[in-house]
Amino acid sequence: MMETPEYIDRLRIVGGDPALDFVNTEDGDPRSECLRDYGDLVTWSVRVGLLSADEGERLVSEANRRPEDAEAVYRDALRLREALYGIFRAVAEGGEAPERSLETLRGYEHEALSRGKLVQGDGGFAWEWKDGRDLAGMLWPVVHAATGLLTSGDLDRLKLCAGCYWVFLDASRNRSRRWCTMEVCGTDAKMRRYVAKRAAKRGE
Ligand SMILES: [Zn+2]
């Protein structure tokens, strides 16, 4: 059985899209790392449903056989995440995505499509990555979700949390959501405003 480290167990999944959730694996402000090695990458992928528990177990034993390859995939994942964060953050702030980050994403998407399979199911068509020995297998659906999000429009729903700089899709009707989660960042901000108000009152 795989152990789930506490920092992955605790991680809030609020992006509303696997690519955004992946970006949010760097948590909080100051940012702390929730993907500390290849095993974490697998555990997180199982947690968000990109891999089944069985697929996760298989990848972990594959990684034990090929530690250097696993380490390379882990480094790749961090590079991909940095590129995605650069793009999503720029879009959320109404700016232009950095060309270097886009170039990185293009490369990954080429790779994802060349390894993926377009399949037909009851619910329609979908891309599938089912090579159980591909250590990077969890990255392809993330990459494809990212380009899907960027090309499908509705990017004005893409937001950056005003508290912790996570990215998320705002599904609220009037697009007024400012926080990744009200209970965490929203409440913090309310508390800060309240404390500031009281301090100001006292100073009167
Ligand atoms: Zn937040």
Side-chain angles (χ1 to χ4, degrees), residues 57-189:
E57 301 272 351
R58 231 173 297 137
L59 281 185
V60 167
S61 25
E62 188 70 23
N64 287 337
R65 271 194 295 275
R66 296 157 51 203
E68 276 168 27
D69 292 343
E71 178 64 19
V73 168
Y74 170 67
R75 297 280 147 216
D76 259 4
L78 297 191
R79 203 167 70 90
L80 169 67
R81 188 181 63 184
E82 198 185 327
L84 292 181
Y85 185 62
I87 296 169
F88 289 138
R89 180 170 184 156
V91 172
E93 289 180 327
E96 284 213 356
E99 183 52 34
R100 252 189 69 207
S101 306
L102 274 182
E103 186 55 44
T104 301
L105 178 56
R106 273 184 215 117
Y108 278 102
E109 176 74 347
H110 274 291
E111 184 94 22
L113 294 186
S114 73
R115 295 183 190 216
K117 197 172 152 194
L118 182 65
V119 292
Q120 190 166 190
D122 295 337
F125 294 87
W127 283 91
E128 239 181 40
W129 290 269
K130 287 283 173 207
D131 176 359
R133 297 193 59 226
D134 180 4
L135 289 170
M138 76 294 278
L139 296 184
W140 313 126
V142 167
V143 165
H144 195 58
T147 55
L149 188 60
L150 291 170
T151 53
S152 69
D154 229 6
L155 286 177
D156 54 339
R157 288 204 297 131
L158 183 62
K159 300 263 187 79
L160 193 68
C161 174
C164 70
Y165 303 106
W166 270 14
V167 280
F168 64 89
L169 284 181
D170 179 2
S172 70
R173 191 197 294 251
N174 53 2
R175 321 244 151 139
S176 58
R177 186 172 147 202
R178 294 185 59 210
W179 317 106
C180 62
T181 29
M182 194 60 207
E183 310 82 68
V184 179
C185 289
T187 311
D188 274 5

Side-chain angles (χ1 to χ4, degrees), residues 4-59:
T4 303
E6 189 233 342
Y7 47 87
I8 294 186
D9 223 12
R10 233 183 26 213
L11 188 66
R12 289 165 296 128
I13 308 293
V14 301
D17 183 282
L20 300 181
D21 288 329
F22 180 61
V23 168
N24 294 341
T25 53
E26 211 180 2
D27 185 27
D29 186 22
R31 304 188 79 72
S32 74
E33 182 56 80
C34 289
L35 300 181
R36 300 181 189 179
D37 55 22
Y38 180 78
D40 281 358
L41 181 60
V42 172
T43 308
W44 173 82
S45 305
V46 171
R47 194 180 153 208
V48 298
L50 289 173
L51 297 173
S52 70
D54 282 354
E55 288 168 331
E57 301 272 351
R58 231 173 297 137
L59 281 185

